[in-house]
Amino acid sequence: RRCGLLSMKDMDSSEGWEGTIQSKDPIGGQSWGRKVGGKSCVPSKLNENVLREVGLRWWIPPNYISSPAGSIHEMQCLQNIDSGDDGRLASLQEISGLAKALLGERALSNSYPLLLSIPKKSLGGSDKAAERCVAVSMAKWPPEKFGLREQSRAGSKSLPNGFSTAALQELQLLKELHSIIPSPEGHPNIILPIAVALPQEEQDDTNDKEKKDDIFSLFRTSEDNEKRAQKEKKRKDLFGGAHIIFNPTPFVLQRVMYRSSKKKREESQVSISPTLFACWFHDLLSVLVHCHSNGVLLRNLVTDQIMIDHSGVSKIAGLYRATVLSPHERKGVDPCKVAVEKGRRNDEEIPPNLFIAPEILLGCPKYTKETDMWAIGALMGSFLLGKNMFAGKDRTSRLVAMYKIVGVPGSENYPNATKFPYFSKRDYPKKYKRNVEKAFAYMMKDEYKKHEKGVDLIARMLHLDPNKRISAREALKHEYMLDFLENSNSKAFREDFVKDWMAVKKKLAHSSKTEDDEALEQEKTMKRKIMLEAAGGDGIDDLYDLDMDDLMGSSKKTKRELDF
């Protein structure tokens, strides 16, 4: 085998991380059993021998056994007990079985826990580590929707074999960004791939026929056959392409945001404390500082590509849309000038980006560091509000949603915006003034006071004028982040973080609904929004029922303004 290259047939995702070395940890192993990942972060496990064959033995967690005497030498001996003398292992297994039969497993675990830790493996064979599996996560490489988009663009010119250019560039960028950090694991907030799993070879017709006969049976109902067919299709889609393998990561930010939505019922809703929000905000800003200081733009922040590991640390997993700035672009780009030179194109589609910057919607083809800052501000703002801040079905509706928060272009609010190709005064019937903090206070109600400093930082990112937006390095020096860093050194803050994270983790990992149920519920919500749009309703814009005078700059005091 080649170093770092696996096969998808080596991966086992049927039971998630159940039965892995990490799940047997007496301290934190209870939360490793359930399959809690997502489509972009699939829990899986690998046999220990496979990792050794591809040169990844350093990834195997140590299997220490508690030492009654506290001797490090004794712990090391017990760790390697299954690779040493077979006679000694057989004697210990016999003693362990006899004690279990006489005292019972519960009494034995209380009085002699060491006897229950004896490895139960076959003797004298070469497969001593056959039952030892290591927990990992895997994600399609490149992501499915981007792979399909590349194929549709390439058309008949696409090659039947090999990897896409974007996928190879992503791994190259990850390698370079990690190599800058003097640490074995690179940047702590960027996912480090440890291997690539290649798709398994096609099976012969005989095996395919046997599987079809197993899926469709006359002795089952049509519904059962349909369920088996969908399960088989899901399995083929999962193992149909190449995957990157990385550190076991249980949650994606998309799932957390969905569960923290205010439309969820109280028993299933996840409450994100100010402590957790500040930690994740700081993690993402650290990634931006590292990327921008090395001339890399993320361009697109996708919630299903932001992972949260078992320790509650957020990490960016996908750099498939990232790009490297040229020396000329690193000095700064005027988006208005670039947009005017390009002109308007009637066939131009809106980029599929929930947190896209207004200058891109207005016609600028160039992404900049300022567009990244808008994206992270819109992402964290949407996290606080429980839904997308700037939702819309087309270019005009999304721009109007932005104008309601950051104000319409004018003499005091980015006057150059009127020169963009897609700017039109007919797009906004009312002259909204910039009132980001006031809009958040209106929409967050009682929660606003808890996140007031965080909202101030978000407001500095959400400027219509790119030149007025705060940079990533300046954002880390904001009062909100400085307070977070100072508090993180205190014991009370750390205890609050652990308490809050364990509560959120428990709710996410032990949901009564399966992933299929949640996917179905999300699909129903999306269909409802599409029906509202088709009927001419204002379902997406209900968050911005802010046609009051205070957002339009009137001097009249309304009841809603007095409530602030």
Side-chain angles (χ1 to χ4, degrees):
R1 293 194 185 217
R2 293 186 179 181
C3 182
L5 282 181
L6 299 168
S7 173
M8 286 303 295
K9 65 181 180 181
D10 298 324
M11 312 302 299
D12 182 8
S13 302
S14 58
E15 298 178 353
W17 293 315
E18 188 69 37
T20 59
I21 298 174
Q22 293 92 328
S23 67
K24 298 175 182 178
D25 183 2
I27 299 177
Q30 295 180 355
S31 59
W32 286 71
R34 187 176 181 272
K35 184 178 179 181
V36 294
K39 289 185 178 180
S40 57
C41 178
V42 181
S44 187
K45 53 188 176 184
L46 271 169
N47 187 273
E48 179 184 16
N49 290 331
V50 175
L51 287 174
R52 294 183 186 278
E53 289 176 7
V54 296
L56 297 174
R57 64 178 182 178
W58 55 271
W59 195 253
I60 302 171
N63 189 30
Y64 291 113
I65 302 174
S66 57
S67 168
S71 168
I72 297 178
H73 173 72
E74 185 178 351
M75 292 173 64
Q76 184 67 27
C77 291
L78 290 171
Q79 178 194 3
N80 300 321
I81 193 171
D82 56 336
S83 59
D85 184 20
D86 285 350
R88 184 185 177 193
L89 178 60
S91 300
L92 287 173
Q93 286 179 351
E94 185 177 353
I95 295 173
S96 174
L98 181 61
K100 186 175 179 181
L102 294 174
L103 301 177
E105 187 170 354
R106 175 176 292 185
L108 189 62
S109 62
N110 293 332
S111 303
Y112 306 99
L114 185 61
L115 288 176
L116 288 177
S117 303
I118 304 302
K120 298 179 180 179
K121 297 179 181 179
S122 58
L123 303 176
S126 59
D127 58 342
K128 294 181 182 180
E131 296 180 3
R132 283 171 50 90
C133 293
V134 180
V136 294
S137 288
M138 62 180 185
K140 271 204 169 184
W141 181 62
E144 185 176 4
K145 54 185 176 182
F146 290 93
L148 293 174
R149 193 176 301 153
E150 273 195 356
Q151 290 180 7
S152 63
R153 287 178 180 175
S156 59
K157 297 181 182 180
S158 60
L159 296 175
N161 298 316
F163 300 108
S164 68
T165 306
L168 294 173
Q169 176 182 313
E170 178 189 7
L171 279 192
Q172 180 67 22
L173 275 177
L174 286 171
K175 178 180 178 296
E176 293 296 329
L177 288 174
H178 280 295
S179 63
I180 298 171
I181 304 294
S183 167
E185 296 188 4
H187 196 283
N189 301 116
I190 302 178
I191 289 293
L192 174 66
I194 62 169
V196 175
L198 302 179
Q200 53 187 342
E201 299 178 359
E202 296 291 334
Q203 295 181 339
D204 54 20
D205 297 337
T206 306
N207 293 338
D208 287 345
K209 185 175 182 303
E210 291 178 357
K211 283 196 171 183
K212 288 180 181 178
D213 293 340
D214 183 59
I215 294 172
F216 299 100
S217 174
L218 296 175
F219 299 100
R220 289 192 296 265
T221 63
S222 57
E223 293 181 359
D224 291 339
N225 285 332
E226 183 66 22
K227 288 181 180 179
R228 283 178 173 263
Q230 291 178 357
K231 187 176 180 180
E232 178 64 18
K233 182 179 181 300
K234 186 177 180 180
R235 187 192 67 82
K236 286 186 176 181
D237 291 341
L238 177 63
F239 292 93
H243 287 67
I244 56 173
I245 311 300
F246 51 92
N247 191 44
T249 310
F251 307 113
V252 294
L253 187 63
Q254 184 183 52
R255 179 185 178 93
V256 179
M257 292 178 68
Y258 171 70
R259 291 290 302 278
S260 63
S261 172
K262 293 175 175 56
K263 291 186 176 181
K264 297 288 292 179
R265 293 178 298 178
E266 291 186 3
E267 61 269 16
S268 59
Q269 185 177 350
V270 172
S271 178
I272 304 300
S273 67
T275 303
L276 289 177
F277 182 81
C279 289
W280 295 343
F281 205 165
H282 182 272
D283 291 342
L284 297 181
L285 281 176
S286 300
V287 175
L288 276 187
V289 170
H290 184 59
C291 291
H292 288 180
S293 60
N294 291 284
V296 177
L297 294 181
L298 296 184
R299 294 181 61 194
N300 190 7
L301 285 175
V302 186
T303 52
D304 64 353
Q305 292 294 321
I306 299 177
M307 314 296 183
I308 302 175
D309 66 11
H310 280 276
S311 301
V313 179
S314 61
K315 302 182 178 185
I316 288 199
L319 296 180
Y320 45 86
R321 292 295 304 276
T323 185
V324 180
L325 291 172
S326 65
H328 170 70
E329 292 173 335
R330 295 187 187 191
K331 298 178 181 178
V333 177
D334 184 1
C336 182
K337 182 179 179 181
V338 175
V340 171
E341 291 176 353
K342 178 186 177 183
R344 181 166 181 166
R345 290 175 54 189
N346 295 326
D347 59 340
E348 186 175 3
E349 297 181 357
I350 303 177
N353 184 352
L354 291 177
F355 313 112
I356 191 171
E359 58 266 31
I360 304 296
L361 288 176
L362 287 170
C364 177
K366 289 286 186 182
Y367 287 82
T368 60
K369 295 179 181 179
E370 290 75 23
T371 60
D372 276 357
M373 294 310 300
W374 175 281
I376 190 172
L379 168 64
M380 301 311 292
S382 301
F383 198 177
L384 282 180
L385 298 176
K387 64 184 300 182
N388 187 12
M389 283 188 68
F390 307 119
K393 58 184 177 181
D394 53 23
R395 186 190 305 271
T396 300
S397 60
R398 295 180 73 175
L399 281 172
V400 171
M402 294 177 182
Y403 295 155
K404 287 185 177 182
I405 303 297
V406 300
V408 298
S411 58
E412 298 180 357
N413 189 26
Y414 197 31
N416 286 340
T418 58
K419 301 177 183 179
F420 279 83
Y422 289 97
F423 174 80
S424 175
K425 288 187 177 181
R426 294 175 296 178
D427 291 346
Y428 52 94
K430 300 177 181 178
K431 296 183 179 180
Y432 297 99
K433 299 294 183 182
R434 173 180 170 80
N435 279 296
V436 179
E437 294 89 343
K438 193 168 288 188
F440 269 92
Y442 173 82
M443 292 182 281
M444 293 179 66
K445 302 292 187 295
D446 298 335
E447 295 289 321
Y448 176 73
K449 288 295 181 182
K450 300 179 183 178
H451 300 276
E452 191 170 1
K453 290 184 180 179
V455 171
D456 179 70
L457 177 55
I458 292 173
R460 295 178 185 233
M461 299 175 180
L462 299 180
H463 274 280
L464 195 62
D465 188 349
N467 295 323
K468 292 184 179 180
R469 293 173 200 159
I470 192 172
S471 68
R473 194 173 294 278
E474 292 170 346
L476 284 181
K477 298 178 182 179
H478 186 269
E479 182 183 4
Y480 179 62
M481 287 297 148
L482 293 178
D483 288 347
F484 161 73
L485 292 176
E486 183 179 354
N487 294 332
S488 62
N489 293 323
S490 67
K491 181 180 179 182
F493 184 88
R494 295 178 182 180
E495 290 177 351
D496 288 342
F497 173 82
V498 173
K499 181 180 177 181
D500 295 341
W501 168 240
M502 293 305 294
V504 170
K505 183 179 178 182
K506 183 177 180 181
K507 258 195 172 181
L508 290 172
H510 298 88
S511 173
S512 57
K513 291 184 178 181
T514 63
E515 290 183 1
D516 293 335
D517 293 337
E518 291 188 357
L520 183 61
E521 188 173 339
Q522 290 181 356
E523 185 179 354
K524 288 180 179 179
T525 304
M526 187 62 66
K527 287 181 179 179
R528 181 183 65 83
K529 290 182 179 180
I530 295 174
M531 290 175 64
L532 286 172
E533 292 176 22
D538 204 20
I540 288 185
D541 206 28
D542 59 350
L543 186 62
Y544 306 99
D545 186 16
L546 300 176
D547 293 334
M548 70 288 289
D549 293 334
D550 57 349
L551 285 188
M552 296 174 62
S554 175
S555 60
K556 295 180 180 179
K557 297 292 182 180
T558 63
K559 181 180 183 299
R560 284 174 178 165
E561 185 175 355
L562 292 173
D563 290 339
F564 295 145

